[in-house]
Amino acid sequence: PSEAEVSPPPPMPAPVATVVTEPAPPQAAPEPLLADAAPLTEPAPATSIALPPDDLPPAQWWIALIHTLVQTGRLTALARELAVQSELLARDAQTLRLRLNNQTLDNQSLRQKLASVLLAVGVTQRLDIAVGEAMSTPAAHATEQKNRQMDVARHIVENDPQVQMLQQRFGGQIVPGSI
C-alpha cells in the first residue's frame, strides 16, 4: 500500500482515573434532644419539680404540669401523648380524673407509665381515665398558642412598610403559608 492509503492508528482511549478515598472518620452518636431525659424503659427520676399553683383551674393546672414534665424530659413517647391528649376534669390528693379523645392511647401500660411519672414528682397515686370528648387538653392549648403566634407574625409582615412598598411597586403578594 502506498503512503496515501495508510490510515492513521485508532485513537487511544482516555486514561481512566483511579480515585482513592480514605474511609470517613467515625461519627459520634447524635446527642439526645433532651440531655436529661430518662431512658424509655426506666421510670422518671424521683426528683421534685415546681408544680403549678393549686389555685389554677383544673385544665390550666394540667396544661402547666404536662408542659413542665415534657420540657424536663420526664414524660416521653406514648405516655406523653396520653397526657397531652387528655383533659383534667378533677383532682384530689389521691386521684386525677382525665378525659381522653383517643381510645387507642387508653391502655393499661400507658396508664401505668403516666402514673409512675406523676407519682415520681409527687402528684398523685391513681388515674381515672374515661374516653370522651376532651376539649382543654395540652395539645389543644399548644395548637391555639401556635395559631396566635402565627397571627401575630402574619400581622407584622403584612403591616411592614417595606413589604407594603414592595407589594405596591412590583405587584407582589405574600404567599399564603410562607410566613
Side-chain angles (χ1 to χ4, degrees):
S2 70
E3 287 182 34
E5 294 177 16
V6 175
S7 56
M12 297 288 292
V16 177
T18 305
V19 177
V20 178
T21 59
E22 304 251 342
Q27 294 182 352
E31 292 187 29
L33 295 176
L34 298 171
D36 62 338
L40 297 178
T41 56
E42 296 178 15
T47 57
S48 62
I49 61 168
L51 296 176
D54 285 332
D55 61 346
L56 286 177
Q60 290 178 1
W61 184 87
W62 180 247
I63 289 166
L65 173 67
I66 298 308
H67 176 78
T68 300
L69 293 174
V70 170
Q71 292 301 312
T72 59
R74 288 175 173 84
L75 194 53
T76 60
L78 289 175
R80 176 189 64 223
E81 287 306 307
L82 172 60
V84 300
Q85 293 186 34
S86 295
E87 174 182 21
L88 178 63
L89 302 174
R91 69 184 174 99
D92 60 35
Q94 298 298 316
T95 305
L96 291 178
R97 284 187 43 235
L98 303 173
R99 184 169 35 219
L100 172 69
N101 279 332
N102 188 339
Q103 187 172 5
T104 306
L105 293 172
D106 185 27
N107 69 60
Q108 193 59 33
S109 173
L110 294 179
R111 284 179 184 226
Q112 288 175 344
K113 287 178 183 177
L114 177 56
S116 71
V117 169
L118 294 170
L119 186 59
V121 297
V123 172
T124 191
Q125 296 188 20
R126 184 172 176 272
L127 290 176
D128 179 15
I129 301 176
V131 175
E133 187 176 355
M135 303 290 288
S136 296
T137 66
H141 179 263
T143 299
E144 290 170 8
Q145 203 169 25
K146 285 180 184 177
N147 289 342
R148 282 193 299 272
Q149 290 172 342
M150 182 55 68
D151 289 343
V152 168
R154 189 176 300 113
H155 178 77
I156 290 170
V157 170
E158 289 172 350
N159 292 300
D160 182 275
Q162 289 183 326
V163 170
Q164 290 175 346
M165 183 268 306
L166 291 170
Q167 287 177 312
Q168 291 171 356
R169 184 175 290 171
F170 300 108
Q173 294 183 26
I174 298 171
V175 177
S178 66
I179 298 175

